[in-house]
Amino acid sequence: DTEVTQTPKHLVMGMTNKKSLKCEQHMGHRAMYWYKQKAKKPPELMFVYSYEKLSINESVPSRFSPECPNSSLLNLHLHALQPEDSALYLCASSRAPGELFFGEGSRLTVL
Amino acid sequence: ILNVEQSPQSLHVQEGDSTNFTCSFPSSNFYALHWYRWETAKSPEALFVMTLNGDEKKKGRISATLNTKEGYSYLYIKGSQPEDSATYLCAPRRGNTDKLIFGTGTRLQVFP
């Protein structure tokens, strides 16, 4: 299994909602990532977990809360988001630094 | 802040044309340079990882070179095909960390 699976593919939420994005990989990779991508811009790093511990937080607002319940799963909990948070959220995993396997992304719309 | 510039921003070529584009990055504390290809409606995919000054990597019709002293990498595509249409992203790494920051990208469209 060489896939990174993200769910849901599309999510629409209001500014008062609480929702979560999920990511799963079964490649035994030790690191998992969240990136945010807005139209016509490159993916922007948000968080990195290494061996289930948060190792990088790129000064992301607290309305985004990552969680790594085990080595195969990565969640991104969303609460009190703003319309400008609408974007494609990409999950990735890696065995070696920099060699990322990406999922297809979750397209988030905040109304 | 890691300033990574890619040029041109976008490129339109005819099938069969060869093309190249540039990734510029700060040369200080360089550790590795990664190239990714991102086709529309798909996931970004790793193309190359390069570490040594003067490195050249090749995969089919696509090749890349690296100059760590002056802080740039070139990506070449020989005889472009419509299936090469994608955004090409470079990402230099400073130190042996998981922090991967992508450049601005070059969007390539190859017309039949």
Side-chain angles (χ1 to χ4, degrees), chain A residues 5 16 21 26 45 53 68 70 77 80 83-84 92 94-95 108:
Chain A
T5 305
T16 57
L21 304 179
H26 295 288
L45 182 63
K53 287 190 165 57
C68 189
N70 62 56
H77 302 300
E84 59 264 29
S94 73
R95 182 177 48 241
L108 174 68

Side-chain angles (χ1 to χ4, degrees), chain A residues 30-31 33 35 37 42-43 45 48 50 55-56 58 88 90 94 97-100 102-104, chain B residues 34 36 38 41-46 49 89 93 96-105 107:
Chain A
R30 60 148 184 95
Y33 304 69
Y35 280 86
Q37 194 258 337
L45 182 63
V48 182
S50 179
S55 58
I56 298 175
E58 289 287 283
L88 180 69
L90 288 163
S94 73
E99 295 176 40
L100 274 56
F102 282 89
E104 291 190 343
Chain B
H34 300 263
Y36 280 78
W38 192 0
K42 293 190 178 179
S43 321
E45 283 185 326
V49 54
L89 295 161
R93 260 193 311 132
N96 190 19
T97 75
D98 289 319
K99 187 167 180 172
L100 197 67
I101 305 295
F102 287 97
T104 47
R107 188 174 177 195

Side-chain angles (χ1 to χ4, degrees), chain A residues 39 53 59 76 86-87 91 98 102 109 111:
Chain A
K53 287 190 165 57
S59 302
L76 187 64
S86 299
C91 174
F102 282 89
T109 303
L111 300 176

Side-chain angles (χ1 to χ4, degrees), chain A residues 71-84:
Chain A
S71 60
S72 300
L73 290 174
L74 184 66
N75 297 323
L76 187 64
H77 302 300
L78 314 169
H79 174 53
L81 294 193
Q82 304 296 309
E84 59 264 29

Side-chain angles (χ1 to χ4, degrees), chain B residues 24-80:
Chain B
S24 301
F25 53 87
S27 55
S28 60
N29 300 323
F30 174 84
Y31 190 87
L33 190 283
H34 300 263
W35 279 101
Y36 280 78
R37 174 169 61 197
W38 192 0
E39 294 179 64
T40 303
K42 293 190 178 179
S43 321
E45 283 185 326
L47 277 176
F48 302 116
V49 54
M50 308 170 79
T51 53
L52 298 174
N53 186 41
D55 245 357
E56 285 191 38
K57 292 282 175 89
K58 191 173 179 182
K59 186 186 272 192
R61 293 178 291 97
I62 304 178
S63 59
T65 60
L66 178 66
N67 183 322
T68 60
K69 294 186 178 178
E70 294 179 42
Y72 64 83
S73 175
Y74 293 139
L75 191 81
Y76 300 92
I77 303 179
K78 187 177 174 182
S80 303

